[in-house]
């Protein structure tokens, strides 16, 4: 995933997965030839939640001596997430996810990153497989962000085969476990329901999550020879690569203006 000459921009939310990934990469990478690690935190502007995790990210990077930059929705998009979501809280995770991905890409480019590393774990990946299946979204199911295309800085997910439980244990034995607030919009998230369901299934039928990932990989291999995604085009407004004539970020901007 990481090669000599890479500058890895680590998406550090301050939560447990990205904290574990920061800790692992900061142990490994100094011994690697010509690899540079920076951490980027996106501050969406979520009251009662994000300030504390941004503080945790600041403390962690200061303790590990990692270059750290925080980029806010306010600076990039002109407002914070809480304001964008007034009256449309149920769309929180969709709006947040699209704008955060854009913010991360902008920051990674600004700091000359060649890879973006995220802390997604096995549970997250299995949840995404089910969510995309429930939505009937085959292109998104098979479009692994790690393999997107030459228009984007490649994304890597070093913990994507590590169960969430093992990450929690890693943090506990390394004395790095912190109790942090939960995002207030979690209650609207489909992911939260899928997570509860999958956790129960994994407990009763161990291996369920891994099997879901394996199924996804098989579908990906099959789809590699079949056309399932739209060809890459350019957004008519911002010029970003996208599959239609208007990218998701510009769509959200228009809907927020209404
Ligand atoms: Fe954003 Fe949803 Fe995650 Fe909250 S739970 S940080 S709104 S994606
Ligand atoms: Zn656009």
């Amino acid at each position: 995933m990481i090669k000599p000459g890479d500058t890895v921009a680590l998406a550090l939310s301050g939560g447990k997965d990205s904290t574990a990934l920061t800790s692992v990469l900061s142990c490994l990478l100094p011994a690697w030839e010509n690899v540079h690690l920076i951490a980027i935190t996106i501050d969406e502007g979520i009251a009662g939640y994000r300030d504390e995790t941004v503080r945790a990210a600041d403390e962690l990077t200061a303790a590990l001596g990692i270059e750290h930059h925080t980029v806010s929705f306010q600076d990039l998009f002109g407002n914070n997430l809480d304001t964008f979501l007034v009256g449309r809280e149920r769309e929180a995770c969709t709006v947040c996810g699209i704008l955060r991905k854009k913010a991360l890409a902008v920051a990674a480019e600004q700091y000359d990153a060649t890879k973006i590393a995220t802390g997604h774990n096995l549970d997250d990946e299995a949840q995404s497989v089910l969510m995309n299946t429930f939505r009937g979204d085959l292109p998104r199911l098979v479009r692994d962000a790690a393999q997107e295309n030459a228009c984007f800085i490649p994304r890597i997910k070093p913990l994507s085969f590590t169960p969430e439980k093992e990450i929690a244990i890693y943090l506990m034995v390394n004395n790095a476990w912190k109790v942090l607030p939960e995002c207030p919009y979690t209650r609207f998230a489909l992911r939260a329901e899928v997570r509860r369901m999958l956790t129960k299934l994994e407990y009763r039928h161990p291996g369920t999550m891994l099997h879901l990932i394996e199924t996804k990989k098989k579908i990906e291999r099959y789809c590699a020879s079949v056309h399932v995604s739209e060809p890459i085009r350019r957004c008519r407004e911002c010029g970003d690569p996208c599959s239609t004539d208007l990218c998701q970020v510009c769509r959200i901007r228009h809907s927020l203006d209404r």
Side-chain angles (χ1 to χ4, degrees):
M1 292 184 188
I2 300 171
K3 298 199 170 71
D6 269 339
T7 293
V8 180
L10 197 159
L12 174 61
S13 68
K16 60 185 177 347
D17 301 319
S18 60
T19 295
L21 183 59
T22 306
S23 161
V24 170
L25 290 185
S26 74
C27 286
L28 292 176
L29 294 189
W32 292 18
E33 190 188 335
N34 193 22
V35 171
H36 184 49
L37 178 66
I38 59 172
I40 294 174
T41 299
I42 308 299
D43 179 359
E44 303 92 345
I46 304 174
Y49 165 63
R50 191 45 93 200
D51 286 354
E52 213 170 313
T53 58
V54 168
R55 209 164 24 249
D58 283 338
E59 286 168 9
L60 179 71
T61 48
L64 295 173
I66 298 172
E67 181 182 330
H68 181 220
H69 304 278
T70 299
V71 177
S72 70
F73 277 17
Q74 181 75 47
D75 291 343
L76 270 184
F77 306 118
N79 231 326
N80 60 41
L81 186 67
D82 285 340
T83 309
F84 284 146
L85 291 177
V86 173
R88 51 189 297 182
E89 291 81 2
R90 293 197 165 272
E91 298 166 59
C93 296
T94 305
V95 174
C96 176
I98 291 169
L99 296 185
R100 192 175 28 183
K101 193 172 173 195
K102 171 70 178 173
L104 193 54
V106 169
E109 204 172 324
Q110 185 179 348
Y111 297 108
D112 297 323
T114 54
K115 300 273 162 66
I116 295 174
T118 64
H120 292 96
N121 60 41
L122 177 70
D123 301 46
D124 298 326
E125 295 296 289
Q127 289 155 18
S128 295
V129 173
L130 269 195
M131 286 163 65
N132 289 327
T133 306
F134 291 159
R135 292 181 180 126
D137 193 342
L138 181 61
R140 191 177 284 181
L141 176 66
V142 299
R143 189 188 61 211
D144 192 327
Q147 301 162 353
E148 270 176 13
N149 66 61
C151 301
F152 300 96
I153 297 175
R155 289 175 168 246
I156 58 172
K157 301 176 188 174
L159 301 180
S160 59
F161 282 95
T162 309
E164 188 176 290
K165 209 194 258 178
E166 285 185 24
I167 291 173
I169 294 167
Y170 170 85
L171 291 173
M172 284 173 186
V173 299
N174 284 287
N175 218 9
W177 177 263
K178 270 193 179 164
V179 178
L180 290 166
E182 190 177 64
C183 174
Y185 299 112
T186 307
R187 67 185 192 279
F188 300 117
L190 170 63
R191 185 175 287 275
E193 290 176 54
V194 170
R195 181 179 189 220
R196 280 194 291 276
M197 186 178 89
L198 260 181
T199 304
K200 201 186 275 180
L201 279 171
E202 179 69 34
Y203 180 72
R204 292 165 59 112
H205 308 282
T208 297
M209 294 196 203
L210 198 54
H211 295 153
L212 271 173
I213 306 293
E214 285 166 358
T215 302
K216 178 196 159 166
K217 298 277 173 209
K218 285 178 193 158
I219 298 173
E220 263 173 11
R221 277 199 293 278
Y222 172 73
C223 289
S225 56
V226 192
H227 174 77
V228 292
S229 307
E230 295 294 326
I232 295 293
R233 295 157 65 176
R234 291 274 167 189
C235 171
R236 68 167 187 263
E237 293 197 358
C238 70
D240 271 8
C242 59
S243 57
T244 58
D245 68 337
L246 196 63
C247 75
Q248 286 182 307
V249 175
C250 288
R251 268 175 217 277
I252 285 185
R253 279 189 165 136
H254 284 295
S255 72
L256 294 172
D257 289 344
R258 282 204 290 270

